[in-house]
Amino acid sequence: MSNPTSNRTRTTNPRMRAALAVAAVTGLGATALTALPAAAAGEAVTVQYRQSATGSDQVEPWFKVVNTGTSSVPLSQVKVRYYFKADAGASYTYACSWAVKGCANLTGTFGTLANPTATADRYLEVGFTAGAGSLAPGADTGDMQLRFHRSNWQPLNQNDDYSFGPGQTTYANWSKVTATVGGVPVWGTAPAGNEPTPTPTGPSPTGPTTPPPTGAALFDDFDYTGHTDPAINAHGWSVRSNSGGPGVPGATWAPENVTFAKEGTNSIMNLRSSTAGTGESTKHTEILTRASKFKNGTYAARVRFSDAPLSGPDGDRVVQTFFTINDLKAPMADDYAEYDFEYLPNGGWGEPANILYTTSWETYRPDPWEAVNQHSEVRASYAGWHDLVLTVDDHAIVYYVDGQEFGRHDARYLPERPMSINFNQWLIDLAGQTSTTPRAYDQKVDYVLHVKDQVLTPAQVAAKVGAYRSAGTAFEDSVPAAS
């Protein structure tokens, strides 16, 4: 059997950054308008726009978001969409040139419209991290000087873009961009047939918090004595020791660096990866289920990411992960699937600093490189404990971080075959830090949960894990083998 993560070296290719982000949207009916969440009552924003480039090199939409409501608006709840007509076969790359709120506190992803028009079939969605703070009534974000271009820098045509205003050389309200607060439309007019449905992101505070009915599930509290504990194998896990990618050439996968210890009342698994600046001194860590039997349903884990090494110089391009995957049977095989949480504390893959990715893969070809995937990302520190939840049903793949929706990916990326569940930590290369002083990084895992064929809210995940622990259940696997 091939190494289930060897394909992950593909993400070092810069074309991965041009992967399409696709979001499904549906029409907004009159009935839906009567059901706006009460939280939206005092929240209102307008979007001011000016263009900074009319040429064929790149698009430069500059924005200000203004709070025109009566209550403070957390910017992390605000999304702005700029609509455009894609050039045939083109993929696009987003960048932030400068922003009063800080480019690190802005996000940009591309999506495809459910109902294309003559002037729009794609959009750039601009969001904010928690670091952007809130807008008081009457306040605005200040300049957000954004741009995007074709990933291969070929010429583009702005003149047929829905949101482009060639005459907008100074900031003014612009209704051809849209804004939502908490998923509720509050500004602008989308291209015909693409009005967003008011569906707030994240779990509703009044939504279900009780565990769902009993069904097939995998739960592991990682209550083991060490990597040689026979129970690890009995419970279906493999601690990796074979050679190969991804990561630093010549590195080894060190099973002895997967350890277990109590922190308070919980048993914690620790993955420690280390290096002294050479391939031979680099040790990566990974644990994965031997069985590929997990498909639709809910996946969850509580993971502690770290930004800095335990000692020694910082700067290594570390990747800390929780993901599901199956094997690529042939280049561009359409039954491949992979769904990732990947945290890069020191950047990598062209990113200069902290970034958290969620990526849904349909397929890829390693040589020559070609990929079909969709990703969401936030450029911010995620050091510390985080609740990661992934749900897969027949319609979408949805990622949550700490109870809030992080990314929603299109049905075209749904899995055709079952997958394994994996955690690993590895170094992309040694270019981020060239010192020969030893250093090590820790990634901790509190638990993992999979509930087969049931979509749970993050609150239900927490309740189900709490029920296992209250019952004293450290492990359960009732998920049947794949047929």
Side-chain angles (χ1 to χ4, degrees):
M1 180 177 178
S2 63
N3 166 31
T5 60
S6 62
N7 62 292
R8 300 171 67 75
T9 57
R10 67 192 182 282
T11 50
T12 60
N13 191 295
R15 276 177 279 183
M16 179 266 194
R17 299 295 159 252
L20 295 179
V22 183
V25 290
T26 57
L28 175 61
T31 303
L33 286 172
T34 66
L36 292 179
E43 296 178 340
V45 301
T46 62
V47 181
Q48 296 182 353
Y49 158 81
R50 60 158 293 193
Q51 60 83 7
S52 182
T54 58
S56 62
D57 187 352
Q58 57 186 337
V59 182
E60 294 190 38
W62 293 10
F63 299 119
K64 288 182 183 179
V65 176
V66 184
N67 183 354
T68 53
T70 58
S71 60
S72 181
V73 175
L75 281 170
S76 61
Q77 294 294 306
V78 175
K79 301 286 188 184
V80 175
R81 286 186 178 181
Y82 178 96
Y83 302 90
F84 63 99
K85 182 73 171 179
D87 298 285
S91 61
Y92 294 85
T93 298
Y94 156 86
C96 172
S97 298
W98 186 80
V100 172
K101 290 292 183 180
C103 284
N105 292 319
L106 272 63
T107 64
T109 57
F110 294 98
T112 299
L113 291 180
N115 298 297
T117 71
T119 59
D121 55 11
R122 305 273 185 91
Y123 59 81
L124 169 67
E125 182 172 87
V126 180
F128 301 84
T129 71
S134 297
L135 282 184
D140 66 66
T141 59
D143 274 349
M144 295 186 291
Q145 299 181 7
L146 312 180
R147 56 191 172 88
F148 65 92
H149 56 83
R150 290 184 60 168
S151 300
N152 58 8
W153 284 101
Q154 291 297 305
L156 50 76
N157 177 25
Q158 295 191 66
N159 293 320
D160 59 356
D161 292 348
Y162 176 85
S163 294
F164 179 52
Q168 291 293 117
T169 56
T170 59
Y171 279 113
N173 289 353
W174 192 244
S175 63
K176 287 192 172 184
V177 295
T178 60
T180 58
V181 177
V184 179
V186 295
W187 173 259
T189 303
N194 293 280
E195 296 80 6
T197 300
T199 51
T201 59
S204 167
T206 59
T209 58
T210 55
T214 302
L218 166 71
F219 173 74
D220 202 330
D221 220 6
F222 295 115
D223 191 6
Y224 302 110
T225 59
H227 75 281
T228 60
D229 189 331
I232 293 179
N233 182 70
H235 290 168
W237 294 102
S238 175
V239 182
R240 184 176 175 185
S241 60
N242 61 305
S243 61
V248 175
T252 58
W253 295 83
E256 68 274 12
N257 284 2
V258 179
T259 59
F260 304 87
K262 289 287 187 181
E263 291 190 6
T265 58
N266 293 344
S267 177
I268 302 297
M269 176 173 67
N270 190 67
L271 281 67
R272 177 166 296 174
S273 296
S274 59
T275 189
T278 65
E280 293 73 17
S281 68
T282 302
K283 295 183 177 181
H284 297 153
T285 45
E286 179 170 21
I287 185 169
L288 63 153
T289 61
R290 293 194 308 277
S292 293
K293 61 177 184 177
F294 309 98
K295 194 180 175 190
N296 285 17
T298 300
Y299 300 82
R302 184 164 172 81
V303 178
R304 187 183 187 278
F305 297 128
S306 59
D307 280 355
L310 302 175
S311 61
D314 196 3
D316 291 292
R317 294 168 177 168
V318 181
V319 184
Q320 301 171 349
T321 76
F322 166 45
F323 63 101
T324 69
I325 194 172
N326 59 32
D327 57 323
L328 182 73
K329 292 184 176 297
M332 301 303 287
D334 62 5
D335 62 350
Y336 176 74
E338 179 181 352
Y339 308 102
D340 306 332
F341 288 92
E342 294 175 307
Y343 180 54
L344 282 60
N346 292 314
W349 300 331
E351 293 290 335
N354 324 70
I355 186 166
L356 177 64
Y357 285 106
T358 59
T359 309
S360 301
W361 288 86
E362 170 61 18
T363 190
Y364 73 100
R365 177 174 56 208
D367 188 22
W369 178 254
E370 184 177 357
V372 181
N373 64 19
Q374 180 180 351
H375 61 90
S376 303
E377 67 279 330
V378 170
R379 293 167 177 84
S381 172
Y382 279 84
W385 285 104
H386 296 282
D387 295 304
L388 310 179
V389 176
L390 160 69
T391 64
V392 181
D393 61 15
D394 291 333
H395 307 288
I397 304 106
V398 185
Y399 298 84
Y400 299 89
V401 177
D402 298 330
Q404 297 299 311
E405 186 174 311
F406 186 95
R408 180 179 294 266
H409 297 167
D410 191 73
R412 73 185 69 183
Y413 303 100
L414 293 172
E416 289 84 9
R417 289 189 291 123
M419 303 166 288
S420 63
I421 296 174
N422 304 243
F423 298 89
N424 67 15
Q425 183 182 215
W426 49 283
L427 279 65
I428 297 171
D429 53 37
L430 297 172
Q433 173 55 259
T434 58
S435 171
T436 57
T437 300
R439 58 270 187 189
Y441 296 82
D442 281 357
Q443 173 187 340
K444 296 182 178 182
V445 183
D446 184 8
Y447 70 83
V448 67
L449 171 71
H450 170 70
V451 180
K452 178 179 169 60
D453 296 331
Q454 295 183 36
V455 171
L456 276 61
T457 66
Q460 286 179 313
V461 167
K464 191 166 183 69
V465 172
Y468 277 120
R469 287 177 165 168
S470 296
T473 302
F475 176 80
E476 177 193 14
D477 185 3
S478 55
V479 179
S483 57

